[in-house]
Amino acid sequence: MTMYNSIKEEAYHCNMELPKLGLVLFTFGNVSVADRSKQVFAIKPSGVPYEKLSPEQMVVVDFDGNVIEGDLRPSSDTKTHAVLYKHWEEIGGITHTHSTYATAWAQSQRDIPIFGTTHADHLTVDIPCAAPMSDDMIAGNYEYETGFQIINHFAEQQLDYREVEMILVGNHAPFAWGKDGMKSVYNSAVLEQVAKMALLTEQINPSAPRLKPALVKKHYERKHGKNAYYGQ
Amino acid sequence: MTMYNSIKEEAYHCNMELPKLGLVLFTFGNVSVADRSKQVFAIKPSGVPYEKLSPEQMVVVDFDGNVIEGDLRPSSDTKTHAVLYKHWEEIGGITHTHSTYATAWAQSQRDIPIFGTTHADHLTVDIPCAAPMSDDMIAGNYEYETGFQIINHFAEQQLDYREVEMILVGNHAPFAWGKDGMKSVYNSAVLEQVAKMALLTEQINPSAPRLKPALVKKHYERKHGKNAYYGQ
Amino acid sequence: MTMYNSIKEEAYHCNMELPKLGLVLFTFGNVSVADRSKQVFAIKPSGVPYEKLSPEQMVVVDFDGNVIEGDLRPSSDTKTHAVLYKHWEEIGGITHTHSTYATAWAQSQRDIPIFGTTHADHLTVDIPCAAPMSDDMIAGNYEYETGFQIINHFAEQQLDYREVEMILVGNHAPFAWGKDGMKSVYNSAVLEQVAKMALLTEQINPSAPRLKPALVKKHYERKHGKNAYYGQ
Amino acid sequence: MTMYNSIKEEAYHCNMELPKLGLVLFTFGNVSVADRSKQVFAIKPSGVPYEKLSPEQMVVVDFDGNVIEGDLRPSSDTKTHAVLYKHWEEIGGITHTHSTYATAWAQSQRDIPIFGTTHADHLTVDIPCAAPMSDDMIAGNYEYETGFQIINHFAEQQLDYREVEMILVGNHAPFAWGKDGMKSVYNSAVLEQVAKMALLTEQINPSAPRLKPALVKKHYERKHGKNAYYGQ
């Protein structure tokens, strides 16, 4: 038993949702859960198959990427998580996958257009796709720089990470986050579903228009903000 | 035990069919079941995950959308259900989902062409797609107006809700109905399957013709009307 | 116990394979199994859900479509089965489904091109698609004429039903057959898989060529004829 | 008990992974596992359904394709495996499937472009597609020549089988290999996933560029070579 048991348990359960939701093949994904009071997060160990995972194996890391507790090496994407936690103070969980449709959009280097209310129930803009990173960033501290690529894209596009809880990293794959681990997993599944429906929409109607502002606003506000009336 | 137990039980079982049939992700769907003698319907509570649902949680609502019984808030789409029950007197169940292929057609704002007998076994015309609602309707009593958008589209297109038991609401998602809850769930699954096959049909042959009238009539009448001979 | 128990049992087990193989939604399919010595076949009752099916419910029908034994109405497609059994003396089982990809090709009214060895392992030509039936045939004895539409297409195309064990009926759906019921189910699943891969092949390369004759011959003869060496 | 029990057990378990991973329909695939010290491999018997498979049924074959132990006929693709083991001394397992998306690319006769990091995590070049074989090779010792078609394509393209552990054989289907049986199964599943995402990528953006060299190098080296830091 350690002072980090709670986030290790939560991180374990969140990671185990990924195969259930069909978001990962083998070990192609990871979830982390932060404890803001201790300035650490628990994350999946690198390359361990989901069917062999246990809560004890979760690795505890600080917001600079240093391992605080754990016998195993943390996910190779750990530094990306650390950067996001350090700079975005209101997020409590992060999920990274290579889910099929979201990754295909990332490989296509296109934002996912906002075509319907399923999308607008979760965010009011196209799902952003950051450009592939510069050769310098890649050759340097790659996973660390991936975090900055995300943060910089949000700054350039004037997006708020509290309102847009997901991104595609060009040529790579999606990241999603939220107030806790389960919300980040939820967002990853929503992103995958919206990505699939957007591709199908363009196949059915190549000139399908984006959702109009009144519907975007209405659906987003049903679920978000002080006048939300969805859920209990 | 209450006088509404029967429709609450039925609504519960109908709602639980949605994840089994692959028609919902998370809580993106709801089924209601009406008791015409009492002028009420039972509907899924808003935002409650299917794996935590129980018959007792179903919310009983009258045809004006007022909650009659239940501790939880009803589905955010409740008023759409209420309007349909109030104006279409022969329906006993309604299902709303964001199923993948039907929603993609709704986002594409296209009717689903009648390409084959699977479609004609269930209806004789293209599956209608109502236009996205006006900004006034959206800003007003949105879910209530969604019901009228559906009813008005049927009136304009001279469609009979007893013969065409499904619609796409443009940019949004499908609704289906029927004589009882299970028939509305069945129609939702048929719609999703027909939507998928129609997209594939256009991909295989972009100039695929619609089903000819003789086949439309034959297949529909195998299953409907006084000379039907399908089933027991 | 009746003299037909054997084919009723076999027909039951074959029908139960359809949902397991993902070839049917609800009751959109049926399998029959013939007893050539008695000139009858056992077939699924019409409209009975697979999860409620039992061997006793199978309906025994002769090759003219007359019910010989059974309390339930046989599949609405029964006369199509009867015609095929009557005219094609070496088949012992027939499967009809509305499986997704095969039906999309049928709706597209296109033969499925022979693009690879998976196809050639089972037949040496494109999978034929019969034209939609004439209005006279449809208005008459529809299911009976469907059988003749299939037989006539084979005659016109000079196809041998012992070598080509599957067909698409234009605007409708696939039929497959074989020496026994399980072989017809197997052929239905092969057809669905080949249909899916053919669509994907055209999407990847719109000018993909057909398999060349030497490969067609080689793969077909690995599994068929006196020099076959596949299997035990 | 025989001296080959170890590879027969391993081959059995590897073969049983194929249906679990959705890589095979019926018997359309096979895995072999080599014992380099004895210059033999164990392979699936031909045409035996996975649900009836047992470790004892695995057939032991030498690197010239002669059966050393086993009551059943080995996979019809056995000679292809034998040729690869004989010429590529560092592989310990081979998997052949007709998995849906990889086979569609093979039928399209196109290399699979390297569009993203999921691909680069496993290899640094397009997944090669060998041309369909010559008529002479097909008419001769077909499965044996299939092995040479693969080896010759690698030689012509100056590919190293230790770095590129998978290939498409034009008009036919994929082969994958690796240091042991499970690695070859893993590679087959990766190939299928990469093949699916590449098709989707081209559908979303027909002019999607390949991954740039810096990202290819970075991702490959995260998992391979002396500076790898993925996994434990």
Side-chain angles (χ1 to χ4, degrees):
Chain A
M1 292 285 293
T2 80
M3 64 194 293
Y4 305 119
N5 273 20
S6 169
I7 54 172
K8 288 166 74 174
E9 282 281 348
E10 189 181 337
Y12 167 75
H13 287 295
C14 289
N15 274 290
M16 294 307 288
E17 285 299 301
L18 298 187
K20 284 187 213 166
L21 287 162
L23 298 174
V24 293
L25 175 69
F26 299 124
T27 59
F28 305 177
N30 45 74
V31 187
S32 67
V33 173
D35 180 337
R36 286 272 162 201
S37 70
K38 302 191 180 71
Q39 295 282 297
V40 297
F41 60 98
I43 192 166
K44 183 178 175 296
S46 182
V48 176
Y50 289 97
E51 61 273 24
K52 298 192 177 170
L53 214 57
S54 68
E56 299 73 40
Q57 291 171 333
M58 297 297 123
V59 186
V60 179
V61 180
D62 70 19
F63 290 175
D64 292 316
N66 304 302
V67 171
I68 302 299
E69 178 182 290
D71 299 325
L72 299 172
R73 194 187 296 189
S75 162
S76 58
D77 300 302
T78 294
K79 285 184 184 167
T80 309
H81 292 240
V83 168
L84 296 181
Y85 284 125
K86 185 155 189 173
H87 290 80
W88 288 351
E89 298 188 357
E90 296 183 32
I91 62 177
I94 298 171
T95 297
H96 170 52
T97 76
H98 286 219
S99 68
T100 307
Y101 287 85
T103 301
W105 280 92
Q107 294 188 161
S108 305
Q109 300 186 29
R110 286 185 56 198
D111 296 346
I112 303 178
I114 183 165
F115 281 134
T117 61
T118 320
H119 187 135
D121 282 336
H122 299 94
L123 69 168
T124 62
V125 293
D126 292 355
I127 295 170
C129 182
M133 290 157 67
S134 72
D135 286 9
D136 280 355
M137 289 170 85
I138 294 165
N141 198 342
Y142 174 61
E143 289 83 6
Y144 186 77
E145 297 288 1
T146 300
F148 283 108
Q149 186 77 354
I150 293 170
I151 287 172
N152 291 342
H153 191 73
F154 265 60
E156 284 160 20
Q157 302 291 316
Q158 298 185 283
L159 298 171
D160 185 330
Y161 73 88
R162 290 163 300 193
E163 294 177 1
V164 177
E165 298 185 320
M166 55 189 73
I167 194 171
L168 308 173
V169 176
N171 279 142
H172 185 181
F175 287 82
W177 50 87
K179 66 177 165 42
D180 56 32
M182 275 301 173
K183 185 68 192 304
S184 73
V185 171
Y186 171 90
N187 283 332
S188 294
V190 167
L191 169 51
E192 178 66 4
Q193 175 67 2
V194 167
K196 180 171 185 178
M197 296 199 309
L199 167 53
L200 297 173
T201 299
E202 293 193 343
Q203 289 179 331
I204 295 168
N205 183 359
S207 57
R210 279 180 174 70
L211 194 63
K212 62 181 181 172
L215 269 172
V216 171
K217 178 177 153 70
K218 179 67 190 175
H219 269 265
Y220 189 73
E221 293 181 354
R222 293 209 316 173
K223 287 201 173 187
H224 301 84
K226 65 179 164 47
N227 294 317
Y229 54 94
Y230 182 89
Q232 300 300 327
Chain B
M1 291 285 292
T2 81
M3 63 193 294
Y4 305 119
N5 273 19
S6 168
I7 54 171
K8 288 166 74 175
E9 281 280 349
E10 189 181 338
Y12 167 74
H13 287 295
C14 288
N15 274 291
M16 294 307 289
E17 285 299 301
L18 298 187
K20 283 188 214 164
L21 286 162
L23 297 174
V24 292
L25 175 70
F26 299 123
T27 59
F28 304 177
N30 45 74
V31 187
S32 68
V33 173
D35 181 336
R36 285 273 162 200
S37 70
K38 303 192 180 69
Q39 295 283 297
V40 297
F41 59 97
I43 192 166
K44 184 178 175 295
S46 182
V48 177
Y50 289 96
E51 60 273 23
K52 298 193 177 170
L53 214 57
S54 67
E56 299 73 39
Q57 292 171 332
M58 297 296 122
V59 187
V60 179
V61 181
D62 71 19
F63 291 176
D64 292 316
N66 304 301
V67 172
I68 302 299
E69 178 182 290
D71 300 325
L72 299 173
R73 193 187 299 190
S75 164
S76 57
D77 300 302
T78 295
K79 285 185 183 166
T80 310
H81 292 242
V83 168
L84 297 181
Y85 283 124
K86 185 154 189 174
H87 291 80
W88 289 350
E89 298 187 357
E90 296 182 33
I91 62 177
I94 299 172
T95 297
H96 171 52
T97 76
H98 286 220
S99 68
T100 307
Y101 286 85
T103 301
W105 280 92
Q107 294 188 160
S108 305
Q109 300 185 29
R110 286 185 57 198
D111 296 347
I112 303 177
I114 182 166
F115 281 134
T117 61
T118 320
H119 187 135
D121 282 336
H122 299 93
L123 69 169
T124 62
V125 294
D126 293 355
I127 295 170
C129 181
M133 291 157 66
S134 71
D135 286 8
D136 280 356
M137 288 171 86
I138 294 165
N141 198 342
Y142 175 61
E143 290 82 7
Y144 186 77
E145 297 288 1
T146 300
F148 283 109
Q149 186 77 356
I150 293 170
I151 287 172
N152 292 342
H153 191 74
F154 265 60
E156 285 161 20
Q157 302 292 317
Q158 298 184 284
L159 298 172
D160 185 328
Y161 73 88
R162 291 163 301 196
E163 293 177 1
V164 177
E165 298 184 322
M166 54 190 73
I167 194 171
L168 308 173
V169 176
N171 279 141
H172 185 179
F175 287 82
W177 50 85
K179 64 177 166 42
D180 56 31
M182 275 302 173
K183 185 69 192 304
S184 73
V185 171
Y186 171 90
N187 283 332
S188 294
V190 167
L191 168 50
E192 178 67 4
Q193 175 68 1
V194 168
K196 181 172 185 177
M197 295 198 310
L199 167 54
L200 297 173
T201 299
E202 293 193 342
Q203 289 179 331
I204 295 168
N205 183 359
S207 56
R210 279 180 175 70
L211 194 63
K212 63 181 182 171
L215 270 172
V216 171
K217 178 177 152 72
K218 179 66 190 176
H219 269 265
Y220 189 72
E221 294 181 354
R222 293 209 315 174
K223 288 201 172 187
H224 301 83
K226 65 178 165 48
N227 294 317
Y229 53 94
Y230 181 90
Q232 301 299 327
Chain C
M1 291 287 293
T2 81
M3 64 192 295
Y4 305 120
N5 274 19
S6 168
I7 55 172
K8 287 166 74 174
E9 282 279 349
E10 189 181 338
Y12 168 74
H13 287 295
C14 289
N15 274 290
M16 293 307 288
E17 285 298 302
L18 297 187
K20 283 186 213 165
L21 286 163
L23 297 174
V24 292
L25 176 69
F26 299 124
T27 59
F28 304 177
N30 45 73
V31 187
S32 68
V33 172
D35 181 336
R36 286 272 161 200
S37 70
K38 304 192 179 69
Q39 295 282 296
V40 297
F41 59 98
I43 191 166
K44 184 179 174 295
S46 183
V48 177
Y50 288 96
E51 61 273 22
K52 298 192 177 171
L53 214 57
S54 67
E56 299 73 40
Q57 292 172 331
M58 297 296 123
V59 186
V60 179
V61 180
D62 71 19
F63 291 175
D64 292 315
N66 304 303
V67 172
I68 301 299
E69 178 182 292
D71 299 324
L72 298 173
R73 194 187 297 189
S75 164
S76 57
D77 300 302
T78 294
K79 285 184 182 167
T80 310
H81 292 241
V83 168
L84 297 181
Y85 284 124
K86 185 155 188 172
H87 291 80
W88 288 350
E89 299 188 356
E90 296 182 33
I91 62 177
I94 298 172
T95 297
H96 171 52
T97 76
H98 287 220
S99 68
T100 307
Y101 286 86
T103 301
W105 280 92
Q107 293 188 160
S108 306
Q109 300 185 28
R110 287 185 56 198
D111 296 346
I112 303 178
I114 183 166
F115 281 135
T117 60
T118 320
H119 187 135
D121 281 337
H122 300 94
L123 69 169
T124 62
V125 294
D126 291 355
I127 295 171
C129 182
M133 291 157 66
S134 71
D135 286 9
D136 280 356
M137 288 171 87
I138 294 165
N141 197 342
Y142 174 61
E143 291 82 6
Y144 186 78
E145 298 288 2
T146 300
F148 284 107
Q149 187 77 356
I150 292 170
I151 287 172
N152 292 341
H153 191 75
F154 265 61
E156 285 160 19
Q157 302 291 316
Q158 300 185 282
L159 297 172
D160 185 330
Y161 73 88
R162 292 163 300 196
E163 293 177 0
V164 177
E165 299 185 320
M166 55 190 74
I167 193 171
L168 308 173
V169 176
N171 279 140
H172 185 179
F175 287 82
W177 51 85
K179 66 176 166 42
D180 56 31
M182 275 300 173
K183 184 67 192 303
S184 73
V185 171
Y186 171 91
N187 283 333
S188 294
V190 167
L191 168 51
E192 177 67 4
Q193 175 67 2
V194 167
K196 180 171 185 178
M197 295 198 310
L199 167 54
L200 297 173
T201 299
E202 294 193 342
Q203 289 179 332
I204 296 168
N205 182 0
S207 57
R210 280 180 174 70
L211 195 62
K212 62 181 183 172
L215 269 172
V216 171
K217 179 177 152 71
K218 179 66 191 177
H219 269 265
Y220 189 72
E221 293 181 353
R222 293 210 314 173
K223 287 200 172 187
H224 301 83
K226 64 178 165 49
N227 295 317
Y229 54 93
Y230 181 89
Q232 301 300 327
Chain D
M1 291 285 293
T2 80
M3 64 192 295
Y4 305 120
N5 273 18
S6 168
I7 54 171
K8 287 166 74 174
E9 281 281 348
E10 189 181 338
Y12 167 74
H13 287 295
C14 289
N15 274 289
M16 294 307 288
E17 285 298 301
L18 297 187
K20 283 187 214 165
L21 286 162
L23 298 174
V24 292
L25 175 70
F26 298 124
T27 59
F28 304 177
N30 45 74
V31 187
S32 68
V33 173
D35 180 336
R36 285 273 162 200
S37 71
K38 302 192 180 69
Q39 295 282 297
V40 297
F41 60 97
I43 192 166
K44 184 179 175 296
S46 183
V48 177
Y50 288 96
E51 61 273 23
K52 298 192 176 169
L53 213 57
S54 68
E56 299 72 40
Q57 291 171 331
M58 298 296 122
V59 186
V60 179
V61 180
D62 70 19
F63 290 176
D64 292 316
N66 304 302
V67 172
I68 301 299
E69 178 182 291
D71 299 326
L72 299 173
R73 193 186 299 188
S75 163
S76 58
D77 301 301
T78 294
K79 285 184 184 168
T80 309
H81 292 241
V83 167
L84 296 181
Y85 283 125
K86 184 154 189 173
H87 291 80
W88 287 352
E89 298 188 355
E90 296 182 32
I91 62 178
I94 298 171
T95 297
H96 171 52
T97 77
H98 287 220
S99 67
T100 307
Y101 287 85
T103 302
W105 280 91
Q107 293 188 160
S108 306
Q109 300 186 29
R110 286 185 56 198
D111 297 346
I112 303 178
I114 182 166
F115 281 134
T117 60
T118 320
H119 187 135
D121 282 336
H122 300 93
L123 68 169
T124 62
V125 294
D126 292 355
I127 295 170
C129 181
M133 291 157 66
S134 72
D135 286 9
D136 281 356
M137 288 171 86
I138 294 165
N141 198 342
Y142 175 61
E143 290 82 5
Y144 186 78
E145 297 288 1
T146 300
F148 284 108
Q149 186 77 354
I150 293 170
I151 287 172
N152 291 342
H153 191 74
F154 264 60
E156 285 160 19
Q157 302 291 316
Q158 299 186 283
L159 298 172
D160 185 329
Y161 73 89
R162 292 163 299 193
E163 294 177 0
V164 177
E165 298 185 321
M166 54 190 74
I167 194 170
L168 307 173
V169 177
N171 279 141
H172 185 179
F175 287 82
W177 51 85
K179 64 178 167 42
D180 55 32
M182 275 302 172
K183 184 69 193 302
S184 73
V185 171
Y186 171 91
N187 283 332
S188 294
V190 167
L191 168 51
E192 178 66 5
Q193 174 68 0
V194 168
K196 180 171 185 177
M197 295 198 310
L199 167 54
L200 297 173
T201 299
E202 293 192 343
Q203 289 179 332
I204 296 168
N205 183 359
S207 57
R210 280 181 174 70
L211 194 63
K212 62 181 181 171
L215 270 172
V216 171
K217 178 177 153 70
K218 179 66 191 177
H219 270 265
Y220 189 71
E221 294 181 353
R222 293 210 314 175
K223 287 200 172 189
H224 301 83
K226 65 178 165 47
N227 295 318
Y229 54 93
Y230 181 89
Q232 302 299 326

